[in-house]
Amino acid sequence: MDMLTRAQIWATLSDIDVSEFCTETEIVGDQVLTYLPWMKAHEIMMSVYPEYHWEFTEDPQSRECHYFDDGSAEVRCRMTIGGQTNITYLPVHRAGKAISPPNAMDINTAKQRCRVKAMGEFGLGYTMWLSSQIRETGASDDVQSEQSETNQEEEELQKVIAIWDHLKFDEAKTLTEAQKLYDKFKRGLTNRGLTDTTGNWQALCKENGWRVKK
């Protein structure tokens, strides 16, 4: 194959619409990511650049997987198209979380996805690697991070409310009885790393005419 420029390769591959072929899915947080199956990606590449070449780099022990001290790992695909070479990295993960330690199936899945990602860095189906939210609304990573934090805060609030409801404060007839429940409530929050932001205790004391005790 004659030497091509990166611009030529990108223009050719990025112009191919692969959306109808993206049939593999994975849930990462609150997003559903779609993937182009590796064999379909290979078929497309063979129709455009049949001499393209790829290989997975090896670690010092001749394994096509590179391990880290915590037991997690990543794979690295070296791909060459028309004389241009990229090395693409991908953690061995499931649902966006590193697998430690990964098994043979985990590594094989990561290798095939890394191979497709390598094609994406040359232009084929590159939009798969952009979040759907960014594609549709132009939202930034900061906005996504804020939404994630908001969801977490809401989940924690619901846990706090569930603990409060479980203790049945409405059955307390005296401040002493309520205080015992509240002490138990606080211990439950501490054990779970939660913080009470509901104001339920203050409201309960006010409703019953009790002096607020924190």
Side-chain angles (χ1 to χ4, degrees):
M1 180 182 294
D2 295 333
M3 178 71 74
L4 299 172
T5 67
R6 290 181 179 274
Q8 289 173 322
I9 298 170
W10 180 271
T12 299
L13 293 179
S14 64
D15 192 49
I16 300 174
D17 183 6
V18 301
S19 56
E20 66 176 300
F21 306 121
C22 296
T23 56
E24 294 187 5
T25 61
E26 180 180 25
I27 298 176
V28 178
D30 59 353
Q31 295 185 40
V32 178
L33 304 183
T34 57
Y35 292 97
L36 178 64
W38 68 268
M39 183 54 78
K40 185 62 183 181
H42 176 65
E43 177 187 26
I44 295 172
M45 289 296 296
M46 290 300 292
S47 68
V48 184
Y49 296 120
E51 302 304 320
Y52 90 105
H53 174 77
W54 76 94
E55 62 182 347
F56 296 97
T57 68
E58 298 180 345
D59 72 357
Q61 285 73 47
S62 299
R63 298 173 297 189
E64 293 183 340
C65 190
H66 300 259
Y67 290 84
F68 300 102
D69 292 340
D70 64 355
S72 63
E74 70 178 13
V75 293
R76 304 169 186 175
C77 180
R78 179 187 289 112
M79 183 170 290
T80 301
I81 302 176
Q84 303 292 342
T85 299
N86 286 340
I87 297 180
T88 303
Y89 302 77
L90 187 71
V92 182
H93 70 93
R94 184 181 301 113
K97 296 183 178 180
I99 301 171
S100 179
N103 59 35
M105 184 60 70
D106 298 326
I107 294 171
N108 181 68
T109 298
K111 288 169 69 175
Q112 300 307 336
R113 286 183 175 171
C114 187
R115 179 179 165 191
V116 175
K117 183 182 178 183
M119 298 175 192
E121 291 188 351
F122 277 110
L124 182 66
Y126 74 95
T127 54
M128 289 188 300
W129 303 95
L130 303 176
S131 75
S132 59
Q133 186 172 9
I134 291 177
R135 290 201 304 269
E136 295 173 1
T137 68
S140 66
D141 290 340
D142 290 340
V143 172
Q144 294 183 61
S145 178
E146 290 175 3
Q147 290 176 337
S148 178
E149 291 177 1
T150 299
N151 291 339
Q152 182 176 352
E153 291 174 358
E154 179 63 27
E155 290 179 3
E156 292 181 355
L157 176 61
Q158 293 304 317
K159 291 178 182 178
V160 172
I161 293 174
I163 296 172
W164 176 275
D165 291 343
H166 176 72
L167 292 174
K168 299 180 179 180
F169 279 86
D170 57 341
E171 296 181 3
K173 303 303 181 183
T174 66
L175 175 58
T176 299
E177 292 178 359
Q179 187 67 57
K180 289 181 180 178
L181 290 175
Y182 188 56
D183 290 341
K184 187 175 182 180
F185 172 70
K186 290 191 293 183
R187 288 195 298 271
L189 296 187
T190 299
N191 292 339
R192 294 168 175 81
L194 299 172
T195 302
D196 181 21
T197 59
T198 64
N200 284 343
W201 173 246
Q202 290 79 3
L204 178 67
C205 290
K206 182 178 180 180
E207 180 182 346
N208 288 277
W210 298 331
R211 182 179 178 183
V212 175
K213 293 185 178 181
K214 297 181 179 182

